[in-house]
Amino acid sequence: MEFLDTSWRTALMLAMVLPMWVIALALAIRDIETIAHRFLAAFLFLFGLNLVPQVIGFSGFYQAFPWLTFAPFNNELWLGPYCLHTLALY
């Protein structure tokens, strides 16, 4: 664990991701326009999940845990089917 380093890059990326997830949670539990809010919440969650490999990369997780280098972090592939599913519903 000596390789873990919380730098300004990690803090900046976490400052972007965590509020998105809080807003996504707040949108998901709203009662007004539930379908639209849940789709926006899912998109914000997926977009924030897209930044997780960079956040853990800047903090040194790949040096501390080398097996994470080969983990399947290709989250961009989720956004395409999600957008197509959203368009098919309307």
Side-chain angles (χ1 to χ4, degrees), residues 18-42:
L18 291 179
M20 272 196 297
W21 284 345
V22 170
I23 291 169
L25 180 65
L27 284 172
I29 61 174
R30 291 202 56 178
D31 290 335
I32 303 169
E33 296 181 5
T34 56
I35 295 173
H37 284 155
R38 287 186 183 151
F39 279 123
L40 181 59

Side-chain angles (χ1 to χ4, degrees), residues 1 6 8 13 16 22 24-25 30 39 47 66 71 75 81-82:
M1 293 290 190
T6 306
W8 66 272
M13 302 222 22
M16 288 173 41
V22 170
L25 180 65
R30 291 202 56 178
F39 279 123
F47 190 74
N75 297 328
Y82 172 73

Side-chain angles (χ1 to χ4, degrees), residues 43-70:
F43 181 77
L44 286 174
F45 180 75
L46 287 175
F47 190 74
L49 194 62
N50 232 357
L51 296 174
V52 168
Q54 290 143 3
V55 170
I56 66 173
F58 281 128
S59 62
F61 267 75
Y62 293 121
Q63 285 83 18
F65 306 106
W67 57 270
L68 280 176
T69 306
F70 304 107

